[in-house]
Amino acid sequence: MRNETVVVGAGIAGVACARALADAGRPVRVLDRGRGPGGRMASRTLEGRATDLGASYLTASDGSPFAAVVAGWVDRGLARPWTDTFAVAGPGGIRETRSGPVRYAAPGGLRSLVADLAGGLDVAQEHAVEQVGPGPRVDGEEVPAAVLALPDPQARRLLPADLAGRLLGDEEAHGWQPTLAVALGWDERRWPADLHGAFVNDDPVVEWVADDGDRRGDGAPVLVAHTTPGTAAAHLDDPARAVPEVTTAVCRALGIDAPPAWTHVHRWTYSKPTAPREEPYGLVDGIGACGDGWRAPSKVESAWTSGHLLGSALGRA
């Protein structure tokens, strides 16, 4: 029997869970099939700079434990207050602007924040887990506890059906929807200087566009568009085929009169939950589940909080 709790998934929920366990003095190991920590807080180097292709930003509730984490990132220059105002656009162009909570971004890309949180932890990348089962066991090896910090459909593939039902509940009640993230780069900025980002209403193709140069703070003429679930579902097998219609929708909504110089598309088969649970996490027979499918509403703060609370509970057990 190994003495480490195993966390499967190195997104922000999994890393927050592992960090809480480590802080409680519990041995913990994180296993992740990707090349680096981050999960859906993904950044990819495109045209020589990091571009956020997953989560677009994060928020932090006043006085919350996560707010203290964000404040630490800001103090060290890893995160920055970005904006509290976004545009609202439609097929006919920009309609209005709306204000809300301060959104934070990261000069090095949001993945850099998860990598910072993972500093000092035992994280094994490019390690695909095949099975998690009673015992608890991970790939047949008994462990003190196991945590699945994954979207439900990915977690269910690793669990026996009866255990998945007890831990995750009814599959139909907790669905997940896809999106495509399309980065579009121009030679120069061709949209309003104060855009920041735009929610696109009444459009069948695109529902959100972020100014990546504005949120990163380097002014690069790069937009990242997130498609509607319907567009993503129609192009999951060949995401590149969606790029022309996404480009058309973005230019139409923001009044851009020239095509981009380059594009890049990333497929998120499980982008966000359709019905996140109110419970902060799941825990059955030493096997836990956490992430933005828990602790509704679905957002970065919820994912961190879910992982942190589960790790804290296991650390006290």
Side-chain angles (χ1 to χ4, degrees):
M1 174 178 175
R2 296 186 67 99
N3 70 337
E4 310 112 315
T5 292
V6 171
V7 177
V8 183
I12 194 166
V15 173
C17 181
R19 175 60 61 198
L21 280 160
D23 289 347
R26 299 298 181 94
V28 58
R29 191 175 194 218
V30 182
L31 305 179
D32 187 84
R33 67 180 184 179
R35 289 180 290 180
R40 279 168 291 137
M41 287 177 69
S43 310
R44 180 161 183 170
T45 301
L46 302 174
E47 301 295 311
R49 64 184 293 278
T51 303
D52 282 317
L53 297 175
S56 293
Y57 51 79
L58 54 89
T59 58
S61 303
D62 290 343
S64 67
F66 186 60
V69 175
V70 174
W73 284 330
V74 172
D75 288 345
R76 290 185 289 133
L78 298 177
R80 59 186 287 266
W82 174 26
T83 183
D84 64 357
T85 302
F86 289 138
V88 178
I94 296 175
R95 300 172 180 172
E96 59 179 325
T97 58
R98 292 181 184 172
S99 297
V102 173
R103 279 79 166 188
Y104 294 85
L110 289 177
R111 184 195 292 272
S112 69
L113 303 181
V114 185
D116 177 73
L117 196 62
L121 296 175
D122 181 2
V123 181
Q125 298 293 162
E126 299 184 275
H127 186 127
V129 173
E130 301 294 331
Q131 187 180 56
V132 175
R137 295 177 180 273
V138 176
D139 288 339
E141 191 166 27
E142 191 171 356
V143 295
V147 171
L148 296 169
L150 303 168
D152 282 19
Q154 294 174 333
R156 289 181 190 276
R157 292 190 198 123
L158 304 183
L159 295 166
D162 62 332
L163 181 54
R166 289 193 291 140
L167 179 63
L168 302 174
D170 181 67
E171 187 170 2
E172 292 186 2
H174 300 289
W176 285 68
Q177 62 188 30
T179 193
L180 303 178
V182 182
L184 309 100
W186 279 261
D187 296 328
E188 61 181 7
R189 189 185 184 94
R190 295 178 176 272
W191 50 91
D194 59 350
L195 176 71
H196 308 305
F199 296 105
V200 185
N201 296 337
D202 307 320
D203 191 292
V205 178
V206 170
E207 62 181 18
W208 160 251
V209 183
D211 184 331
D212 196 65
D214 185 69
R215 69 180 165 188
R216 289 277 318 286
D218 63 359
V222 178
L223 299 174
V224 177
H226 290 246
T227 69
T228 61
T231 293
H235 295 286
L236 284 180
D237 292 338
D238 189 2
R241 292 185 61 188
V243 171
E245 59 186 295
V246 171
T247 300
T248 298
V250 169
C251 290
R252 181 175 61 227
L254 302 186
I256 299 172
D257 59 2
W262 58 267
T263 61
H264 175 85
V265 61
H266 185 92
R267 172 182 59 204
W268 295 105
T269 304
Y270 307 114
S271 171
K272 57 185 176 182
T274 57
R277 306 164 180 84
E278 295 294 332
E279 298 86 358
Y281 56 80
L283 184 59
V284 173
D285 298 337
I287 298 176
C290 62
D292 61 339
W294 303 82
R295 186 78 176 189
S298 174
K299 55 183 179 178
V300 172
E301 180 175 13
S302 301
W304 180 89
T305 303
S306 174
H308 176 74
L309 291 175
L310 176 56
S312 299
L314 291 172
R316 294 191 299 268

